[in-house]
Amino acid sequence: QSGRCKKAKKGLASIGFTCRLAKRVLDYPDESKESDDSSPNADHKQQKAPPCTIVDNFLSQAELERLQSVFESTTANYWTSHDYAVEPPSPYFSYVLSLEQIETNGFGFIGELIQKVLHCPQLAEKFPKLPNTRYVEMWAHNRPHASGHQLHFDSDDEGRGGVRNPIISTILYIADGDDNIAGGPSMVTNQKLSDEKLATKGWMSSPKPYRLVAFDGRYLHGVVPGKGTREGRRVTLMFAFWDDIKIRRGLGPGSARPFPKNVLPPWASQLAKPIETGKTENQYDNCKTAEPIKLDRVYETLDGKAWNKQEMPAYDEVFQGF
């Protein structure tokens, strides 16, 4: 990530890697200094629209502060009650709310936030199937700056019994302060599960306070490890919008658990408590669409050349920065 990819070739090859994320991915540019024409060899007339959209200023200050109260501290009830850990990683766990539940019972702040995402004008324009949503799956992460997340496809129950993707998935960055907050960028590629070749295009979004990122749930995506060292955590809340998903009851954390009701744990009580703002203006007035960092190359050989091979490398042969 310091721009010395060639020096890593021998070491990567010795442990079985044949392919790696491109230099421009791992040594990602500063979004504030990025321009539409900075991506090398870009032919903008031929580029298709990206499968993602970025909305800045989506969260209000009150919404951000409520999310911070639930997720920002590593000792918060949400993390301790699920035995959440980064190293070694905790098993995946998530919760599901049906829109029928939200419309009937409200669910306070979290219900209002889900409705705000669902009816965001920028998302409605980009994702015409979003009105088919009947269920919303929720999960979160709290990770150190240099901790990435492997490239993957969002799927019902992590793909057990066959892969089914959501209509869209979204990311909310839970951080305050200036634009330069902890963690590496989120990356969405143009690769679907049915593809027989690796992704050739990608789009990245840097972590930024108040920001919402949404992308077509069919596409491969992940988190690039943050460069260098810095204090702070990369804290994110994710929603996946589904036309149908099986809610799985069970003891302890697990995939697609029903959102708690009746007797609420502290974290759920915080999310379900309404926010009294007293404001009446349009909640989308401050929202602004932002451009992602465009990538004309996602993967490279260990020599730094574009990966043009027809065959798909084994997953464990692809170096993702960690």
Side-chain angles (χ1 to χ4, degrees):
Q1 291 186 293
S2 60
R4 294 175 292 175
C5 297
K6 291 182 179 179
K7 292 187 176 181
K9 176 185 175 182
K10 185 176 180 179
L12 291 177
S14 70
I15 52 178
F17 290 108
T18 62
C19 178
R20 62 169 171 79
L21 289 178
K23 177 181 181 297
R24 183 172 161 82
V25 176
L26 293 173
D27 190 15
Y28 51 86
D30 183 339
E31 182 177 300
S32 65
K33 300 177 182 178
E34 187 74 356
S35 69
D36 289 347
D37 298 317
S38 61
S39 188
N41 303 318
D43 184 352
H44 299 289
K45 293 182 180 180
Q46 299 299 322
Q47 285 187 349
K48 294 182 179 179
C52 57
T53 192
I54 301 172
V55 183
D56 280 342
N57 304 321
F58 178 81
L59 291 173
S60 69
Q61 185 64 37
E63 291 166 342
L64 179 64
E65 290 175 356
R66 176 63 63 84
L67 293 176
Q68 287 174 332
S69 72
V70 179
F71 299 108
E72 188 171 45
S73 171
T74 56
T75 60
N77 176 257
Y78 181 82
W79 309 116
T80 59
S81 64
H82 296 95
D83 294 324
Y84 180 86
V86 176
E87 298 292 346
S90 302
Y92 175 75
F93 60 92
S94 65
Y95 291 91
V96 174
L97 281 161
S98 72
L99 285 191
E100 183 179 2
Q101 284 179 301
I102 294 173
E103 292 166 357
T104 302
N105 301 317
F107 280 91
F109 164 65
I110 194 65
E112 292 174 358
L113 183 59
I114 287 171
Q115 292 281 19
K116 183 178 179 180
V117 176
L118 187 62
H119 298 291
C120 177
Q122 287 89 345
L123 271 59
E125 179 181 358
K126 180 75 175 180
F127 307 107
K129 293 184 179 180
L130 191 54
N132 296 338
T133 298
R134 294 171 58 228
Y135 299 92
V136 181
E137 184 180 14
M138 181 199 90
W139 68 100
H141 285 298
N142 187 321
R143 292 174 165 165
H145 171 69
S147 178
H149 192 119
Q150 74 273 16
L151 290 166
H152 63 284
F153 297 96
D154 286 347
S155 178
D156 182 9
D157 200 26
E158 298 190 278
R160 298 180 185 91
V163 175
R164 285 203 329 98
N165 306 123
I167 300 170
I168 68 166
S169 292
T170 66
I171 308 163
L172 288 166
Y173 299 104
I174 305 170
D176 207 347
D178 60 26
D179 289 353
N180 183 27
I181 61 177
S186 306
M187 180 174 70
V188 182
T189 76
N190 65 345
Q191 184 177 337
K192 298 179 184 177
L193 184 64
S194 58
D195 290 344
E196 297 180 356
K197 297 180 182 180
L198 291 176
T200 57
K201 303 287 184 183
W203 299 265
M204 293 195 296
S205 168
S206 300
K208 186 176 181 180
Y210 313 99
R211 170 173 280 187
L212 168 72
V213 175
F215 57 92
D216 187 319
R218 297 172 296 172
Y219 288 92
L220 185 73
H221 61 282
V223 178
V224 180
K227 293 196 296 185
T229 59
R230 62 159 299 152
E231 297 181 355
R233 309 277 293 187
R234 188 185 195 277
V235 188
T236 50
L237 173 65
M238 277 65 65
F239 294 130
F241 292 77
W242 295 88
D243 56 358
D244 194 20
I245 186 174
K246 181 180 179 181
I247 299 177
R248 297 173 174 84
R249 301 181 184 277
L251 297 175
S255 174
R257 292 285 191 258
F259 192 88
K261 60 180 180 180
N262 300 325
V263 180
L264 301 182
W267 66 266
S269 179
Q270 288 175 281
L271 288 176
K273 182 181 178 181
I275 290 180
E276 301 296 338
T277 62
K279 296 181 180 180
T280 58
E281 67 262 23
N282 188 322
Q283 60 184 340
Y284 303 111
D285 279 350
N286 294 324
C287 291
K288 181 181 178 181
T289 302
E291 287 294 319
I293 298 171
K294 300 177 179 66
L295 302 167
D296 286 326
R297 184 183 295 181
V298 177
Y299 298 100
E300 293 176 342
T301 66
L302 300 186
D303 291 318
K305 298 177 181 178
W307 182 270
N308 293 321
K309 298 181 181 180
Q310 297 300 311
E311 71 275 10
M312 187 84 73
Y315 188 85
D316 291 340
E317 292 179 0
V318 181
F319 179 67
Q320 299 185 43
F322 51 91

